[in-house]
Amino acid sequence: MDCLFCKIINGEIPSTKVYEDDMILAFRDIDPQAPEHVIIIPKNHISSANEINTENSKYISHIFEKIPYIAAMLNIDEHGYRIVNNCGKNGGQTVPHMHFHLMGGRGFAWPAG
Ligand code: 5GP
Ligand code: ZN
């Protein structure tokens, strides 16, 4: 499949990995928006949040089970962090393999623009 993040999963495109197991991969964003900015993806191709269903939701729950561990690894657990999913055109999604941005090391305003 011609998918950037699938290529990162299978090693065709290099990435700086911060966590990996059989279901998910976390790697540093190439254009970080915060001192710590990691992309967390399911290892099966889910195009966007619109495609989450009972068959694949275990990948999503697994991501959230591991976020505390990844945040602790990045040393952003104590001060907190932002988790973002962009879905589709209006959501600002640019890579059509569902992912969460985990960002920390600075504060974020809310509401966001
Ligand atoms: P989206 O806009 O789809 O929510 O987020 C896509 C993210 O992937 C962006 O933050 C962008 O910087 C990141 N990104 C795009 N291409 C690459 C790449 O080849 N390697 C890495 N590590 N990140 C990428
Ligand atoms: Zn993919």
Side-chain angles (χ1 to χ4, degrees):
M1 186 183 291
D2 193 25
C3 166
L4 179 68
F5 286 174
C6 282
K7 287 178 178 166
I8 285 180
I9 291 165
N10 69 30
E12 268 181 77
I13 292 175
S15 68
T16 306
K17 295 176 185 179
V18 301
Y19 176 79
E20 180 171 22
D21 63 30
D22 56 333
M23 295 178 83
I24 67 171
L25 172 65
F27 55 94
R28 294 198 175 278
D29 196 293
I30 206 167
D31 182 21
Q33 303 302 309
E36 299 291 349
H37 185 171
V38 163
I39 301 282
I40 312 176
I41 58 177
K43 281 192 170 177
N44 67 331
H45 183 87
I46 302 170
S47 306
S48 78
N50 270 338
E51 306 303 322
I52 298 169
N53 56 41
T54 51
E55 303 293 309
N56 62 29
S57 61
K58 58 183 180 289
Y59 289 87
I60 309 305
S61 59
H62 191 69
I63 287 173
F64 278 84
E65 282 171 26
K66 292 299 173 186
I67 280 176
Y69 176 76
I70 297 167
M73 261 174 47
L74 299 172
N75 206 24
I76 59 174
D77 52 332
E78 189 186 333
H79 290 290
Y81 44 84
R82 180 163 287 182
I83 303 163
V84 171
N85 170 256
N86 298 325
C87 179
K89 183 166 158 281
N90 278 1
Q93 183 178 6
T94 60
V95 178
H97 181 127
M98 212 223 61
H99 52 279
F100 294 96
H101 300 257
L102 175 64
M103 295 176 287
R106 70 169 172 91
F108 295 90
W110 187 261

